[in-house]
Amino acid sequence: RQMPSDCRAHFVAGGVTMPNAEQDASASSSDDSEEEDKESIDDKMKRITKLGREGKIDELVKEAKVADCSPEMIKFASIKSKDLGNIAFQKKEYEQALEYYAGALVGDVPEKHKIYSNRSACFFQLGKYTDALVEATKAIKENRSWSKGYFRAGRAALEMEYYDEALEMFQKGLDKEPSNADLANWTEKARNIRNQQVQDKLMRKHTTDYSKFEALTKQVAEEEDEEEAANDPNRIILGDKYYSSSKMEQRQLKAMLGYKEPPPPPFEPSFSTDMIYRHDARGVKTQNPLWDPSRREWRIDAKPAPSRVDYSDSQQAQAMALFLERQSDVQHVDELLHLLDDDASPIEAYVNGVRDLVLQMVGGGEQKRESHSMLGNDARWLFLGVGTGLPLMTAVRYLPSADIIANTAHRAFHIADLALSTAALNGIKKEQVRFIHRPTQDLAIVDPDGEDINNLTGKVDCLVFEHELFDPGLLGKGVLAKVIHAKKKLATANHMTMPMGATVLCAPCEVVCSRGTGPDGLDWSVVDETRWGAFYEVSNLDSEDAIEPWRPLGLVHEVFEFDFTEPELKMSGQADIHFEASEDGVLNCIAFWYKMSLTSSVALDHTPASLRADESRVKGSYNRHAMQWLAAPIQVSKGDRVHLRASYSRSRIRFEVMSPEVPARDRRVSCPRWLLLRLREEQRLEAYRKAIEKALEKIMAAREAIPKLDRPPLRIVHMGAGLGQISMVAAKCAREAGVTEKEIETHGYTVVALEQMPKVIKLAKRALRDNDLDRDVFVCSEDVRKLPSQPQRAQLVVCELIDPGLLGEGILVLLNAARIKMCNAFEHTVVPSRATIWAAAFEFGEKLSHCHGFDVSTFNHYRTNLMTDIDSAIESGAAKQLTNVFEVLKFDFETNVMPSSHTIKLTPTDDGKITAIAFWYVIEMDTDGETLLTNWPECIPPADFSMMEKDVHKPSPVRQAICNFQGHYIKEVTKGEPVEIDVGYAQAWPQFVWPGTEMVQKESGERIPKPPPMPRHRLAFEKFKTETEDLEKKLQAGLMYDEEMLGDGYAAAERIALEPNGNPNYLIDPQNANYFHMMFFV
C-alpha cells in the first residue's frame, strides 16, 4: 500500500526518507491539478517541520491522523526516526536529534519512555533545563519503575537549583535500582550541593559585619508573599515557598512531584555527654542534625568532630561566636559594677597585689626581686585587661613616670572609652598611661614609625593579667593562650608576672531535688535529669539562698597547678583523682575553684566557706565556683572509692568518671535553673497552699448549695505553672476539699496548668505521673490569649506570674485574658487576691567616688539593672535610703479594680541625690487578707506594723525591683524639703517620673521620659546594646526557627558551648555560650 503524499511529508519533517514506490494511478492528472497538490504538500511540510522542531507532539499526531497513514507505516517510520535520533545524539547534533525523536513519538513505538529520556538529555545538553525537566517527567509517567527517568529529572532539577527536589529524584531512582553507581554518586553529590547551598545561604545572612545580619530574617518578604498568595487565585505553594501562576518552572516542578508538604515536625535535639571529653579526638564522629525534606524527618549525619580552635569552616559558628562576644561585652560593665558595689575580694586582692609588686620593684619590703634588672620607674608595665581600673591607677600613683600600657582586651568601644574617662577623672594624663584598644591576641611588637600605632613598640618588664580574664573555672575565658602569647611575644626574658600562678581544687558533690521529703511532699527526681550542660556552670556556693542545697561527698583535692612565671606553659594536661565517699549520697557533680597567688604575699582563695580550714571569708556575692555535671549520677555509699580523671585544654577543665563505670546517656531536655530554685521556696509554697485551701473551702461550700445534678465540675486554672509544683499542690488541696475519684473520671481534670515552655511541660507531665496526679492536672502550652473560650468555666484562678516588681511577668494582661476565656464572669476567685506596691528613694553609688583612694563614679552611668538586693546594698554601703517608705499603687485582682496615675509628695530624711526608686510588693493571698507574701527588705521597718501580726511569708531569695535615674533626672534633695514624683504603670512595669519631664513615644507605643544627655561611652553602650539585642532576635530566627538552617545552627551552638574560648579570636563569657546551647532544649 502506498503512503499518501501528505503523510510522506509528515515523516520527512521527522527526518525519515521513505523508500521509492510506484505512483498511484491518479498521477496522470492535469498539470494544474499537480501544481495545486505540490503547493499543498509544501505548505504542510513546512508546518510539520516546524511542529517537529518545536516538539509539539500532540499536534504532530493530529496531523498524522488527518493524513490517514496506516498504523504499520507510522510504526515503521517512528522506529526509523528513533534510530536516526540516536545517531544524531551520538554526533552531538542535539537539535536535529530532537526533530527525529519528535517524529518517533508519533507512532506506537515501543519503550516510549526512553525516547522522552533522550529528548530530556538533548534539552539538557542545549541548556534548556525546564524543557529537560518536562521531558523527564513524561518519561517517569510512562514507566515509573525505570530509574533513568528519575536520573534525568534529578539532573535537570539540580541545574535549576532545586536542590531538595533534585535530591529527592535521585533518591527515588536509587530506590528503583540500588546497584546503579551513577545514581548513587549523583545522590551523594546532590546531598553535598544541597548542604553547601544551605551553608552559602547562611553565609549571605551571617557575616562578621553586624549590619549585614538584616539578611538573617525574611519576615517582611514572607508576609508580603503570604498576602500575595492569598490574593492570587492561581497560586502555587511548593514546600514553604509561594510562586505566582506566571512562574512556569515552579508549577511544572510541583506537578511533577505532586507536592503536598505537611508542616515540619518539631526539632528534637540530642546531646551526647561523651562530646565533653572529645577535645583531642579530631577523627571522632560527631552529630550534625539535617532536615531531610524528602523523608520529612530530621536525620543525623555523622561528621568528623570540627575544630574548636578555628571556625573558618563554618559561617554559622563565626556569626554565633561574634554575637556571644558582643553579648559578653554588654554584660561586662555590669559585672564590674557589681564587684565595686560589694567591694569584692578580687578588687582588694589586685590592688594589694600591685602595691606589693611596686614595693618589690622599687626595693621596699622584704620581698625584693634581686634577679630583676629593671627597677622602679624604669620598668615597663603591661596590663592585659583594665577591669575596674583600680589596679592600673594604683600602679600609676606609685610610679608616676613609669611606662605603663593598658590593653582593654575587648572590641567594644564603650569599654575602652569608659577606661579612658575613669583615668581622666582621676587626673591621669595620656602621657602616663597608653591605652591600646584591641583583643589581647592581636598585640605585637611593631615598628614605632610604622602604620600600626595601636600596638606595642617594645617588650615589657611586668605583665598584669586582670581578674576579668579568669572565670570561676580559671581557664574558661581562654587565659592560657593569652598568657603564653604575652610571655613569648611581648615580655622580656626576666619579666615579672601577676598573678604568679594558681591552683585548681575540687570536691565531689551532691545536688539533687527532693524525693517526697521537701516542703511540698512531692517527688522531683525527674528534674535531676536536667542537670547537665555542654560547659560547666558557675555559682556561689557561699550563698545561702541563691543556689540549691548542696553537700560534699568527699575531701577537697588539688587538681592542677599553673605557674605563670615559668617560661613554658602546657596547653593541655590531665590528672587522676581517687577519693573515698565520706557519706551516702548521689554523686552527680564536681565543684571546683581556684586559689590564686597574685604575688608571694597576696592571694585570692575561692575555697567555699564550708570547706575552709580557717575562718577567713570571701567578700562579695559574685559567682566564684564552677560545677561540672557528670555524664550520669552515681549512687555511692560511705567508703566507696571513685576514680576521676581531670583534664584541661585551651579554655576549660573537665572531670570524667573512670570507675565505677558510668553509662553514657544522651540528653534531650533541660530546665531553667530559676525553676529549680523555686521548688525550694518553702514560704512562698505555704502562702499559695493556705490561700488555695481557703478559696476551695468557700467554693466547695457554695457548690453544696447547688443541686447535685446541676452542680458544675470544679475547675482551677493555674497560670505560670513552670514545673507544676503549685498545680499539684492545688490538685491535692482539691482532693482534700472533697473532689472524688469518680468526679475526676466523670468530668476530667481538676487543674488546668498553663506554661509556654514546651520542654518544661514534658518535665511537668513526667512529674505528674511520678506523683500519681496526671489525671488531676492537665498541662497546656498555649498562650491564654490565644485559647478559644472554654466551655467548662473555672471557679478559681491561681497566678504565679509575679516578679520582684509585681507586674513584670504580665500578670495584668494575662490574668484579664484568663478571666475572659476560662472563668465565670462574676463567680470566680483569684489567688492572689490583692496587692500593694511600696517604695522608697535611694542614692546608689556614692561610695564609688572614693573607692581605694580613687573616683570610679563613671561606673554609675551603667546602673541599668531592674532588680537589686536592698539589704545587701545598704549593708555594703552601696545604697543610702533618702526617704521613708511610701505606698505607690494598689491592685485588686479579685474585683479587677486597678489604680490610676497620681502624684506623691516625698520628704527626704537625709541630704543626697535620688538616683533610684526601689520598690516591692505586699500581696494579700486570700480574700481575708490574712496570708501575706512580700519581698519587703529586712533592713527597712514596715510602714504598718499591723502587717507583722498577720501570716507573713517571704520568697527566696528576697529581691526588690528598681527604677534608676540617669543624667539630669538624678534629683539632689535636702533633708526635710519635700519633692513630688508622678507614679503610674504600664502593662508590665510601674513608672516613676518627675513632674514636668518631657515624654516621648517608643515604637511600641509606650511613652517614656526623653533620654537625658549621656557621656560618649554610655551612648556607645546604648547603641551597642540595642544592636546586640536585634542580632539575638535575628540569630534565633535564622538558626533556631528555620528548618533549613536549624540543624547547622544547633551544631554550631554545641561546638562553641563545648569550649567557648577555644578560638583565641573571641572573648566570650562561657556561661552565655552554655545558655545559648541550652535554649535548643528549653
Side-chain angles (χ1 to χ4, degrees):
R1 183 179 177 187
Q2 183 64 34
M3 176 178 285
S5 58
D6 53 354
C7 187
R8 179 189 299 271
H10 171 72
F11 279 98
V12 168
V16 180
T17 304
M18 299 299 297
N20 292 328
E22 295 180 359
Q23 298 297 321
D24 191 88
S26 62
S28 59
S29 59
S30 64
D31 293 340
D32 293 339
S33 177
E34 287 179 0
E35 186 63 27
E36 288 179 7
D37 290 342
K38 183 177 180 181
E39 291 174 358
S40 177
I41 291 172
D42 289 341
D43 291 340
K44 194 170 292 186
M45 285 180 64
K46 292 177 181 178
R47 183 168 61 257
I48 292 174
T49 300
K50 184 179 179 182
L51 291 173
R53 185 175 295 111
E54 293 176 353
K56 297 181 178 179
I57 308 302
D58 294 338
E59 295 184 36
L60 275 174
V61 173
K62 183 178 179 181
E63 289 289 341
K65 290 180 179 178
V66 171
D68 195 23
C69 299
S70 68
E72 294 81 4
M73 293 305 296
I74 292 177
K75 183 176 181 179
F76 169 78
S78 295
I79 294 174
K80 187 64 176 176
S81 289
K82 177 185 175 183
D83 294 338
L84 292 172
N86 292 340
I87 294 172
F89 183 83
Q90 293 173 2
K91 293 181 179 180
K92 299 185 179 181
E93 298 172 354
Y94 301 119
E95 292 186 355
Q96 185 65 47
L98 284 170
E99 294 183 18
Y100 287 139
Y101 288 138
L105 288 170
V106 174
D108 187 17
V109 64
E111 297 183 327
K112 193 175 285 188
H113 57 278
K114 292 186 177 179
I115 298 177
Y116 283 122
S117 175
N118 291 346
R119 283 177 59 80
S120 176
C122 291
F123 281 122
F124 185 89
Q125 294 297 334
L126 292 171
K128 299 179 180 180
Y129 304 119
T130 301
D131 294 329
L133 184 58
V134 171
E135 296 300 312
T137 304
K138 294 176 181 178
I140 293 172
K141 290 180 179 179
E142 287 290 329
N143 189 346
R144 294 188 179 276
S145 63
W146 191 52
S147 64
K148 199 162 189 177
Y150 295 100
F151 174 79
R152 297 292 187 202
R155 288 295 308 276
L158 196 62
E159 292 297 330
M160 295 166 70
E161 298 184 359
Y162 300 135
Y163 304 113
D164 292 331
E165 291 78 5
L167 179 59
E168 182 175 352
M169 289 294 99
F170 288 130
Q171 189 63 55
K172 286 184 176 180
L174 195 60
D175 292 343
K176 306 296 181 185
E177 190 179 355
S179 61
N180 191 315
D182 286 341
L183 274 169
N185 292 336
W186 277 99
T187 300
E188 184 62 28
K189 186 179 294 186
R191 181 178 292 108
N192 294 337
I193 293 174
R194 192 277 307 273
N195 294 346
Q196 184 62 44
Q197 183 264 346
V198 171
Q199 292 189 0
D200 291 344
K201 180 179 178 181
L202 193 65
M203 287 174 64
R204 294 191 297 270
K205 291 184 175 183
H206 304 268
T207 67
T208 55
D209 181 2
Y210 60 80
S211 66
K212 297 181 181 179
F213 273 79
E214 293 293 337
L216 276 171
T217 179
K218 295 183 178 179
Q219 180 177 357
V220 176
E222 290 172 355
E223 291 175 353
E224 292 174 352
D225 284 350
E226 290 174 3
E227 182 179 355
E228 184 181 354
N231 298 326
D232 186 353
N234 299 315
R235 62 185 180 274
I236 291 178
I237 303 297
L238 178 59
D240 58 347
K241 303 180 180 67
Y242 156 71
Y243 302 102
S244 69
S245 58
S246 61
K247 297 184 178 180
M248 182 65 70
E249 295 177 352
Q250 289 83 350
R251 293 205 310 277
Q252 291 172 344
L253 186 62
K254 180 176 184 292
M256 176 188 75
L257 297 176
Y259 234 100
K260 200 169 184 179
E261 187 173 10
F267 174 56
E268 299 288 347
S270 174
F271 177 74
S272 172
T273 52
D274 285 344
M275 291 293 297
I276 297 172
Y277 310 106
R278 295 181 187 168
H279 60 286
D280 56 354
R282 289 287 166 261
V284 177
K285 298 293 183 181
T286 185
Q287 293 183 338
N288 187 59
L290 296 175
W291 170 244
D292 189 339
S294 61
R295 298 185 179 182
R296 305 294 305 159
E297 64 183 13
W298 290 99
R299 178 170 45 79
I300 300 297
D301 266 10
K303 292 186 175 181
S307 169
R308 298 179 193 170
V309 178
D310 181 10
Y311 299 156
S312 61
D313 62 328
S314 171
Q315 284 291 322
Q316 298 97 320
Q318 292 180 46
M320 197 174 295
L322 177 63
F323 159 71
L324 291 171
E325 182 182 61
R326 291 176 62 93
Q327 186 183 52
S328 303
D329 286 344
V330 168
Q331 300 166 351
H332 176 67
V333 181
D334 184 66
E335 293 170 356
L336 296 177
L337 181 58
H338 183 62
L339 292 174
L340 288 169
D341 281 344
D342 288 348
D343 193 16
S345 292
I347 292 179
E348 183 178 3
Y350 264 80
V351 169
N352 291 336
V354 169
R355 288 173 181 165
D356 189 55
L357 210 58
V358 170
L359 284 174
Q360 293 183 43
M361 300 184 76
V362 298
E366 300 178 358
Q367 302 296 331
K368 180 180 176 181
R369 288 184 69 132
E370 298 292 348
S371 60
H372 197 278
S373 59
M374 303 297 291
L375 300 178
N377 287 335
D378 295 330
R380 301 188 73 205
W381 291 63
L382 173 59
F383 283 80
L384 295 159
V386 177
T388 62
L390 291 173
L392 169 66
M393 293 187 290
T394 299
V396 176
R397 170 173 291 176
Y398 285 101
L399 301 172
S401 59
D403 187 0
I404 299 177
I405 303 165
N407 168 230
T408 59
H410 295 265
R411 289 189 174 90
F413 171 76
H414 70 272
I415 295 176
D417 200 46
L418 174 61
L420 287 168
S421 299
T422 304
L425 183 64
N426 288 275
I428 296 176
K429 300 177 181 179
K430 294 182 179 179
E431 297 79 18
Q432 291 179 283
V433 178
R434 182 181 169 216
F435 285 90
I436 298 179
H437 177 49
R438 67 193 310 160
T440 301
Q441 70 276 0
D442 294 345
L443 291 176
I445 307 298
V446 298
D447 184 355
D449 299 323
E451 296 181 358
D452 188 358
I453 61 174
N454 189 32
N455 226 321
L456 299 176
T457 56
K459 293 192 174 183
V460 299
D461 305 298
C462 186
L463 294 171
V464 178
F465 297 94
E466 251 288 353
H467 176 257
E468 67 178 77
L469 299 182
F470 300 90
D471 80 322
L474 188 70
L475 308 182
K477 294 186 178 180
V479 71
L480 274 185
K482 296 176 175 61
V483 171
I484 292 173
H485 172 72
K487 291 175 69 67
K488 285 187 175 181
K489 302 293 181 66
L490 310 178
T492 58
N494 192 26
H495 64 272
M496 301 175 71
T497 303
M498 190 184 96
M500 298 173 62
T503 302
V504 176
L505 304 98
C506 77
C509 295
E510 173 192 78
V511 184
V512 295
C513 291
S514 63
R515 270 72 167 163
T517 58
D520 52 16
L522 299 172
D523 181 0
W524 291 106
S525 56
V526 64
V527 180
D528 288 329
E529 295 183 14
T530 68
R531 300 185 189 278
W532 62 273
F535 201 79
Y536 52 76
E537 297 178 15
V538 299
S539 63
N540 177 10
L541 297 179
D542 295 331
S543 173
E544 296 181 357
D545 56 4
I547 65 165
E548 296 179 86
W550 66 282
R551 61 180 180 133
L553 296 179
L555 299 176
V556 174
H557 286 71
E558 289 190 3
V559 186
F560 297 113
E561 186 171 352
F562 298 92
D563 188 349
F564 299 145
T565 65
E566 290 292 326
E568 296 289 338
L569 282 175
K570 294 182 179 180
M571 291 292 287
S572 62
Q574 70 178 37
D576 287 331
I577 304 169
H578 299 269
F579 84 89
E580 183 176 306
S582 57
E583 53 186 300
D584 299 347
V586 178
L587 172 60
N588 63 348
C589 81
I590 303 296
F592 61 103
W593 58 92
Y594 61 79
K595 185 187 294 184
M596 182 178 288
S597 299
L598 296 172
T599 65
S600 56
S601 58
V602 180
L604 178 62
D605 186 358
H606 280 164
T607 302
S610 60
L611 300 178
R612 284 177 178 267
D614 55 31
E615 300 251 342
S616 61
R617 291 291 183 270
V618 179
K619 288 175 61 179
S621 58
Y622 64 100
N623 289 327
R624 47 186 175 264
H625 305 114
M627 302 181 73
Q628 185 195 309
W629 304 108
L630 298 180
I634 306 172
Q635 188 72 44
V636 296
S637 300
K638 184 177 180 179
D640 287 353
R641 296 189 62 81
V642 178
H643 175 200
L644 296 175
R645 175 160 295 163
S647 62
Y648 72 90
S649 53
R650 296 177 63 93
S651 62
R652 75 168 294 168
I653 293 174
R654 52 184 68 76
F655 296 87
E656 182 178 9
V657 177
M658 305 307 293
S659 68
E661 185 176 351
V662 178
R665 181 186 298 180
D666 289 348
R667 305 290 186 165
R668 301 181 185 276
V669 65
S670 186
C671 179
R673 294 298 178 247
W674 61 267
L675 280 178
L676 303 187
L677 289 174
R678 178 181 285 186
L679 298 178
R680 298 280 184 172
E681 292 186 47
E682 184 174 356
Q683 291 197 37
R684 174 187 144 276
L685 175 68
E686 282 302 307
Y688 271 96
R689 188 203 306 273
K690 292 176 181 178
I692 292 171
E693 287 175 348
K694 287 184 180 181
L696 286 177
E697 183 180 351
K698 295 179 180 180
I699 292 171
M700 298 302 285
R703 291 175 82 242
E704 289 297 324
I706 302 174
K708 193 167 185 180
L709 294 178
D710 298 333
R711 192 178 299 167
L714 178 65
R715 284 288 185 274
I716 303 173
V717 173
H718 179 205
M719 303 172 63
L723 291 168
Q725 183 186 40
I726 300 298
S727 299
M728 289 188 274
V729 169
K732 292 168 75 173
C733 290
R735 291 272 191 164
E736 294 170 0
V739 175
T740 64
E741 187 76 26
K742 185 176 181 180
E743 286 183 280
I744 292 176
E745 291 178 359
T746 304
H747 301 294
Y749 304 98
T750 304
V751 180
V752 177
L754 302 175
E755 173 55 55
Q756 294 189 48
M757 288 185 282
K759 302 295 176 65
V760 172
I761 285 179
K762 286 187 175 182
L763 285 174
K765 289 180 177 178
R766 292 179 60 187
L768 288 169
R769 290 195 296 270
D770 291 346
N771 291 279
D772 197 25
L773 290 168
D774 51 321
R775 291 181 301 121
D776 296 64
V777 182
F778 172 74
V779 187
C780 175
S781 63
E782 291 295 329
D783 187 332
V784 67
R785 292 168 291 186
K786 298 179 181 179
L787 286 174
S789 184
Q790 300 298 299
Q792 295 288 352
R793 313 303 278 181
Q795 297 91 357
L796 174 61
V797 178
V798 180
C799 186
E800 280 193 272
L801 300 171
I802 298 171
D803 76 329
L806 182 68
L807 309 180
E809 293 192 18
I811 184 174
L812 298 183
V813 177
L814 298 176
L815 185 56
N816 189 53
R819 290 177 185 273
I820 296 171
K821 300 291 184 68
M822 308 186 76
C823 300
N824 290 320
F826 304 105
E827 299 177 2
H828 63 271
T829 305
V830 178
V831 174
S833 181
R834 292 175 294 276
T836 303
I837 294 178
W838 295 82
F842 288 86
E843 180 177 8
F844 282 85
E846 188 275 334
K847 78 169 191 176
L848 297 192
S849 59
H850 47 273
C851 184
H852 291 275
F854 297 98
D855 186 349
V856 289
S857 58
T858 47
F859 282 85
N860 284 326
H861 291 291
Y862 293 85
R863 295 193 181 275
T864 59
N865 55 314
L866 300 178
M867 288 189 296
T868 188
D869 182 352
I870 291 295
D871 293 316
S872 297
I874 290 179
E875 182 181 2
S876 66
K880 179 175 72 170
Q881 185 177 348
L882 293 180
T883 69
N884 290 323
V885 174
F886 56 91
E887 183 181 301
V888 182
L889 300 165
K890 293 191 80 167
F891 298 88
D892 192 328
F893 304 126
E894 188 75 25
T895 59
N896 202 26
V897 175
M898 301 293 123
S900 58
S901 301
H902 57 283
T903 302
I904 297 176
K905 183 177 289 187
L906 307 179
T907 302
T909 57
D910 201 349
D911 297 343
K913 296 179 180 179
I914 297 179
T915 64
I917 302 292
F919 55 100
W920 51 89
Y921 58 76
V922 175
I923 298 175
E924 298 177 19
M925 300 298 291
D926 56 357
T927 54
D928 299 331
E930 293 299 319
T931 303
L932 304 182
L933 179 66
T934 179
N935 59 341
W936 197 293
E938 294 284 352
C939 63
I940 298 178
D944 183 359
F945 281 93
S946 63
M947 182 179 77
M948 305 304 296
E949 299 175 0
K950 298 183 179 182
D951 189 8
V952 180
H953 300 77
K954 290 199 172 185
S956 179
V958 177
R959 298 286 185 268
Q960 293 76 37
I962 189 169
C963 172
N964 291 288
F965 299 120
Q966 292 290 340
H968 57 249
Y969 294 132
I970 295 176
K971 184 172 286 290
E972 190 162 354
V973 295
T974 304
K975 181 179 179 179
E977 296 183 4
V979 294
E980 291 185 341
I981 190 168
D982 296 332
V983 299
Y985 65 96
Q987 290 184 342
W989 199 252
Q991 288 186 332
F992 299 87
V993 180
W994 302 114
T997 299
E998 182 181 355
M999 305 295 286
V1000 295
Q1001 187 167 317
K1002 297 173 65 176
E1003 293 182 1
S1004 61
E1006 179 186 0
R1007 290 183 60 79
I1008 61 171
K1010 182 179 179 180
M1014 297 180 182
R1016 183 178 63 179
H1017 56 83
R1018 176 61 197 274
L1019 290 173
F1021 168 77
E1022 288 297 328
K1023 180 181 178 182
F1024 189 84
K1025 179 181 177 182
T1026 301
E1027 291 170 347
T1028 303
E1029 289 171 350
D1030 291 341
L1031 296 189
E1032 181 177 20
K1033 295 174 184 176
K1034 294 169 184 176
L1035 193 63
Q1036 289 179 6
L1039 292 181
M1040 297 185 72
Y1041 303 115
D1042 182 344
E1043 64 269 15
E1044 294 184 18
M1045 295 183 289
L1046 194 150
D1048 288 334
Y1050 168 73
E1054 180 184 88
R1055 174 180 181 178
I1056 296 174
L1058 285 166
E1059 196 153 0
N1061 290 287
N1063 188 326
N1065 295 318
Y1066 302 93
L1067 181 56
I1068 297 170
D1069 185 334
Q1071 299 311 302
N1072 290 340
N1074 199 28
Y1075 295 153
F1076 194 90
H1077 177 246
M1078 283 292 186
M1079 289 175 66
F1080 288 89
F1081 297 86
V1082 176

